[in-house]
């Protein structure tokens, strides 16, 4: 059976069926689901009209010490399903490292449900995302948001 919309509970259930915990919450009036894998926290931001969402934006922030634009270019040239972008200042100030000397990068996937997707597709989307989190967790030159111990049952 194919769907063009999923509820937050259906999306959270797909994460849980893969053996991970999923916490639904609202941030700035936007529904999100927080989970973790490989000891790394990540978020699914739900898009569309509550309670039926037509897409999701999976993301996790990372921090690197050197040349964030080069890191992003290297990542994006080797990964077809995820995208990385440097988090830029809100104003026109130049990009500078934070007080720890790190640059923030957001790595994300976007999944659109319009046109119809199955529950299996949703699980496959999360499996693909979890592979990305696993790959990122093995890189030694980056920092990531550590998972809270109660976030994931498979960490």
């Amino acid at each position: 059976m194919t769907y063009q919309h999923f509820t937050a509970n259906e999306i959270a259930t797909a994460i849980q069926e893969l053996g991970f915990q999923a916490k639904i919450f609202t941030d700035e009036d936007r529904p999100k689901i927080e989970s973790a894998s490989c000891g790394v926290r990540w978020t699914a931001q739900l898009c569309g009209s509550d309670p039926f969402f037509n897409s999701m934006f999976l993301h996790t922030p990372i921090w690197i010490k050197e040349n964030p634009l080069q890191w992003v270019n290297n990542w994006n040239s080797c990964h077809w399903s995820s995208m990385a972008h440097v988090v830029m200042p809100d104003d026109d100030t130049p990009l500078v490292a934070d007080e720890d000397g790190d640059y923030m990068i957001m790595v994300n996937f976007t999944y659109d449900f319009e046109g119809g997707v199955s529950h299996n597709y949703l699980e496959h989307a999360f499996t693909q995302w979890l592979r990305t989190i696993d790959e990122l967790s093995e890189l030694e030159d980056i920092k990531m948001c550590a998972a809270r111990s109660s976030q994931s049952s498979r960490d």
Side-chain angles (χ1 to χ4, degrees), residues 6 21 38 62 65 75 78 86 89 92 102 107 110 112 115 124 137 145:
F6 288 93
Q21 293 185 13
C38 301
I62 65 171
K65 290 279 184 202
W75 178 269
C78 298
V86 178
D92 290 332
D102 298 322
V107 178
T110 301
D112 189 357
H124 175 73
S137 72
C145 288

Side-chain angles (χ1 to χ4, degrees), residues 68-152:
L69 297 174
Q70 184 63 47
W71 193 97
V72 164
N73 285 337
N74 290 343
W75 178 269
N76 290 340
S77 68
C78 298
H79 297 83
W80 63 271
S81 56
S82 66
M83 182 189 82
H85 66 273
V86 178
V87 176
M88 302 295 286
D90 290 336
D91 53 20
D92 290 332
T93 59
L95 180 64
V96 293
D98 64 16
E99 60 275 356
D100 295 328
D102 298 322
Y103 297 93
M104 185 179 189
I105 294 173
M106 192 66 69
V107 178
N108 59 59
F109 275 30
T110 301
Y111 289 99
D112 189 357
F113 310 141
E114 293 200 25
V117 299
S118 66
H119 185 77
N120 287 342
Y121 171 86
L122 193 59
E123 286 185 0
H124 175 73
F126 283 115
T127 299
Q128 219 176 350
W129 173 245
L130 294 170
R131 283 189 201 122
T132 297
I133 295 295
D134 184 48
E135 181 179 350
L136 287 168
S137 72
E138 293 176 6
L139 298 176
E140 295 180 15
D141 61 338
I142 68 171
K143 290 191 233 176
M144 302 180 79
C145 288
R148 297 178 192 137
S149 61
S150 63
Q151 280 306 116
S152 176

Side-chain angles (χ1 to χ4, degrees), residues 25-33 45-48 50 53:
F25 68 101
T26 302
D27 181 29
E28 297 179 11
D29 294 327
R30 301 205 45 111
K32 297 179 181 183
I33 300 171
Q45 182 173 324
L46 309 180
C47 305
D50 195 0
F53 302 101

